[in-house]
Amino acid sequence: MSQRPALGPGAEFDAIRSMVARLGVSATGIGDDAAVITVPRGERIVASVDSHVDGIHFRRAWLTPREIGRRATVAALSDLAAMAALPLGVLTALEVPNEWQDDMTEIAAGIGDAVDESGTRVVGGNTGRGPVLAINTCVIGHAFTPLYRSGVRSGDVVYVTGRLGGPQDAVREWLRGREASPLSRDRFVRPRARVHEARWLAAAGASAAIDLSDGLVADLQHLAVASGIRLRVDLERIPCIDGVSSREAVASGEEYELIVTSSRPFDIETFRDRFGVELTAIGHASSGDADVELLDRGERVAPPPGHDHFSS
Amino acid sequence: MSQRPALGPGAEFDAIRSMVARLGVSATGIGDDAAVITVPRGERIVASVDSHVDGIHFRRAWLTPREIGRRATVAALSDLAAMAALPLGVLTALEVPNEWQDDMTEIAAGIGDAVDESGTRVVGGNTGRGPVLAINTCVIGHAFTPLYRSGVRSGDVVYVTGRLGGPQDAVREWLRGREASPLSRDRFVRPRARVHEARWLAAAGASAAIDLSDGLVADLQHLAVASGIRLRVDLERIPCIDGVSSREAVASGEEYELIVTSSRPFDIETFRDRFGVELTAIGHASSGDADVELLDRGERVAPPPGHDHFSS
C-alpha cells in the first residue's frame, strides 16, 4: 500500500503500519504512487470498484474484523467473476476511524484471505482517516472474451450457482436480536467470489453472467434489460438453503453467487464435483419485452421487494 | 456506472440517476459488472485508488459540489501523473448521504471536468448510501516505462512543477474564518493533474517522480527512502505563491504538483511555454543515508511539521 502520511506519524497509526506489514505476504509492488501490472498479450483489462461501509453493508456486531476485510474484498472480486475475468490485482482504500485502529491488522488479514482464495494479490492502496470504517476496493482482472450482461439469447437456459437465501435470513435474525443459523451466518459472513467457477462456465459456453448482489429477481432484471429479453424463472426450482423459502431466497442480496445463461446445457455433475458447489437450471430466456417473470407452479406471481441492505 | 439498486427505486434517487446520465458524456462502457479496457500492446497497466471524504479532505463550505467532484478525481489522476502514465479510465465509487442527493449531478459534472482535462473517461463505478460523502476513485492508466520513486541517482537535480503553498494557505485562512486569497483558493479548489507534463518530463529523461500530496519535505522523504539516497533542497529556491513563505510552502500538502529528478537538465523554458506552468530546480541528490536536508542560505534547518489535512 502506498500508505499516505495523511495518517501522520506517531503511535496511533502503528496498527495501520502493522496492517501494511501483514498484507506484505499477499501484496506485490507496494510503495509507489500507483501499482504497475503486466497484462498478458491480447487480453483485455476488466476493472471494478466497490465500497463496503460500516452500518450500510455490515455491522460490527455481526462479523469479526477479519471477516469484514474478507467480505469487502470478496464482494469486489465477485464483479470480476461476473465478467469471467481472472484477477490481476486488488487495490484497497481504507477510511479508518480511531475506534477501528486496533482492528486494522485483522482486517488486513481478511483482505489477504480473500485475495489468496482468488489467486491474486493486493497491488496498491491507500489509508486515511474517516468518520466510519469504509473499505473501498478496486479490482483489476484480465479476460480474453469477457462475459457481458447483454449476451442472453432466446432459448438460453438460466442457471444459478450455490443455494440462496442465507444472507437475508442471517440479517433478519440479527435485526430481531436473535442468533442466525450457522448456515445462514456462514453465507453472510463468508461468501466466495466465484472466480474459478466463472472461468469454467465461460469456457463451457456461457452466453452472459451477472453476480448476485441485489437479489435474484433484481439481478435477473439487469440481465433482461441489458439483453433486451424476457427471463422466466420457476420458484420451485430455486435452490434455497435450509429453512428459507424460495420467495425469501429470490429477494436475498449480497449472495455473490453467479447467474449464468447458456444455449447449451452445462454439465452440472462435473461442475459440482470440481467446485463443491451446486449449479441449478432455474428458468429460460424467451423473446418478448425485457422483463422477469416469476412462476409459482406455472402461475405468474409478483416478485418480492428487492434487497436494500438493512432498510427492510 | 453500474449503478446498484442498493440505492433502491424511487424519487429520492433521481438525483443519482441524473448524475449517471450527466456522466454519460464522459463515460464509456458503463452498465456491466466491471469495465473492459483495451491495453495498447506492450504497455503496462498502472493503477491507483484514492479516497476523498467530507470533513477530512474538504469541507462543504469551501467548495462547490462541482469543485468537490473535480478535485477528488484530480487527486486520483495525479497518482498516474506521478508514474508518467496516461489514463485509460476512471472508476468512481460514491458513498452518498441523503443531504447530498441533490448535489450529485454537480459532483458528476466535476468528475467529468477532471476526466476531460486529462483526456480520459469514466469507465465504471458504484453508488451507495453512506453516512458522509466519500468519493473513492480508482484510476487505470498505461505506460511503457513507468517512473518510479526509486529511480533517483546521485547527482540528479530535483525539480518541482508550479508554485507551492496555496492549498495550505487557503485552509489556514478558512479555519480562521477568513476569506482565502483568490490565488490560494484556486490552488486548493482547482488543482491540476500533471498528466501531460509528466509524460513530457519522462520523455525528456526524468529518473524518478512523485506527486506532491503530503507536503514537499514529506514527499521528498518518500523519494529519498525509495531511492536510498540523500536529497538536499534549498529553501530560497522553492517557488512559492504570493504571500506564502518558503517555510510554509514546503509543508503545504495536496498540491498535486510533481517532484521530478533527472541527471540531465530539463529545458525549463520549453516546458513553461508548452504547459503554462513553471518548472524549478530546487536541489540535488547525493550519496549518503536516505534523508532530506533542508538548507536556508546554506545552513541546514529543521523541516516544518508535515501536512495532515485539517488537524493543524
Side-chain angles (χ1 to χ4, degrees), chain A residues 42-117:
Chain A
E43 301 260 320
R44 277 184 295 174
I45 286 293
V46 180
S48 182
V49 65
D50 204 45
S51 290
H52 236 64
V53 182
D54 186 11
I56 306 286
H57 299 89
F58 62 88
R59 291 192 184 169
R60 190 169 191 165
W62 298 347
L63 298 89
T64 66
R66 184 164 188 158
E67 289 165 343
I68 289 168
R70 185 185 170 288
R71 187 169 184 272
T73 310
V74 164
L77 286 164
S78 180
D79 280 330
L80 290 187
M83 308 286 289
L86 271 181
L88 282 164
V90 169
L91 299 97
T92 305
L94 296 160
E95 300 161 32
V96 186
N98 289 336
E99 64 269 25
W100 281 90
Q101 298 287 350
D102 291 344
D103 299 302
M104 297 316 294
T105 308
E106 278 298 293
I107 288 174
I111 295 171
D113 292 340
V115 298
D116 288 349
E117 282 166 18

Side-chain angles (χ1 to χ4, degrees), chain A residues 2-8 13 31-39 41-54 56-57 75 78-80 82-83 88 91-95 123-126 128-132 134-140 146-150 209-211 213-214 218-219 222 226 256 307-311, chain B residues 2-8 13 31-39 41-54 56-57 75 78-80 82-83 88 91-95 123-126 128-132 134-140 146-150 209-211 213-214 218-219 222 226 256 307-311:
Chain A
S2 73
Q3 189 201 6
R4 291 297 177 83
L7 283 164
F13 296 113
D32 251 290
D33 292 279
V36 176
I37 303 168
T38 302
V39 185
R41 179 165 294 195
E43 301 260 320
R44 277 184 295 174
I45 286 293
V46 180
S48 182
V49 65
D50 204 45
S51 290
H52 236 64
V53 182
D54 186 11
I56 306 286
H57 299 89
S78 180
D79 280 330
L80 290 187
M83 308 286 289
L88 282 164
L91 299 97
T92 305
L94 296 160
E95 300 161 32
V123 296
N126 193 48
R129 286 177 294 146
V132 298
I135 304 175
N136 307 294
T137 308
C138 180
V139 288
I140 299 176
L147 280 183
Y148 295 93
R149 295 180 180 181
S150 56
I210 188 169
D211 73 321
S213 51
D214 301 328
D219 289 316
H222 298 320
Y256 307 116
H307 164 73
D308 189 18
H309 300 301
F310 315 143
S311 68
Chain B
S2 73
Q3 188 199 5
R4 291 298 177 85
L7 283 163
F13 297 115
D32 249 291
D33 292 280
V36 176
I37 304 168
T38 302
V39 184
R41 180 165 294 196
E43 301 261 317
R44 277 184 295 174
I45 285 293
V46 180
S48 182
V49 64
D50 204 45
S51 291
H52 237 64
V53 182
D54 186 12
I56 306 287
H57 298 89
S78 180
D79 280 329
L80 290 187
M83 308 287 288
L88 281 165
L91 299 98
T92 305
L94 296 161
E95 300 160 34
V123 295
N126 194 48
R129 286 177 294 147
V132 297
I135 304 174
N136 307 295
T137 309
C138 179
V139 289
I140 299 177
L147 281 182
Y148 295 93
R149 295 180 179 181
S150 55
I210 188 171
D211 74 320
S213 51
D214 301 327
D219 289 316
H222 297 319
Y256 306 116
H307 163 72
D308 189 16
H309 301 298
F310 317 143
S311 67

Side-chain angles (χ1 to χ4, degrees), chain B residues 36-284:
Chain B
V36 176
I37 304 168
T38 302
V39 184
R41 180 165 294 196
E43 301 261 317
R44 277 184 295 174
I45 285 293
V46 180
S48 182
V49 64
D50 204 45
S51 291
H52 237 64
V53 182
D54 186 12
I56 306 287
H57 298 89
F58 63 87
R59 291 191 185 171
R60 192 169 189 165
W62 300 346
L63 298 89
T64 66
R66 185 163 186 158
E67 288 165 343
I68 289 167
R70 185 185 170 286
R71 187 169 184 269
T73 310
V74 165
L77 286 164
S78 180
D79 280 329
L80 290 187
M83 308 287 288
L86 271 181
L88 281 165
V90 169
L91 299 98
T92 305
L94 296 161
E95 300 160 34
V96 185
N98 289 336
E99 66 268 25
W100 282 89
Q101 297 285 351
D102 292 342
D103 300 303
M104 296 316 294
T105 308
E106 278 297 294
I107 288 174
I111 294 171
D113 293 340
V115 298
D116 287 349
E117 283 167 17
S118 289
T120 187
R121 290 289 176 267
V122 175
V123 295
N126 194 48
T127 50
R129 286 177 294 147
V132 297
L133 180 69
I135 304 174
N136 307 295
T137 309
C138 179
V139 289
I140 299 177
H142 64 109
F144 201 78
T145 50
L147 281 182
Y148 295 93
R149 295 180 179 181
S150 55
V152 191
R153 297 291 172 261
S154 179
D156 282 3
V157 175
V158 179
Y159 292 84
V160 70
T161 61
R163 296 194 150 265
L164 310 183
Q168 178 175 270
D169 182 52
V171 168
R172 192 184 49 211
E173 293 303 297
W174 287 328
L175 289 177
R176 288 171 180 169
R178 301 199 294 230
E179 288 276 301
S181 77
L183 257 179
S184 289
R185 180 183 190 281
D186 189 69
R187 288 289 306 134
F188 182 89
V189 161
R190 295 188 56 82
R192 306 284 298 210
R194 301 294 184 197
V195 164
H196 306 297
E197 292 87 340
R199 295 286 280 199
W200 188 95
L201 292 163
S207 55
I210 188 171
D211 74 320
L212 213 165
S213 51
D214 301 327
L216 184 72
V217 171
D219 289 316
L220 285 169
Q221 193 74 38
H222 297 319
L223 269 188
V225 168
S227 296
I229 208 156
R230 179 175 300 266
L231 297 175
R232 189 169 278 151
V233 166
D234 298 306
L235 262 182
E236 58 269 28
R237 298 165 81 184
I238 305 295
C240 308
I241 71 152
D242 287 353
V244 172
S245 75
S246 56
R247 284 190 65 80
E248 291 168 332
V250 297
S252 178
E254 299 181 9
E255 296 272 353
Y256 306 116
E257 297 292 353
L258 294 175
I259 307 171
V260 188
T261 58
S262 177
S263 62
R264 293 183 298 175
F266 291 123
D267 181 345
I268 288 175
E269 285 72 31
T270 300
F271 182 91
R272 193 181 49 216
D273 291 348
R274 178 141 181 181
F275 300 109
V277 178
E278 289 177 60
L279 180 66
T280 310
I282 59 172
H284 67 278

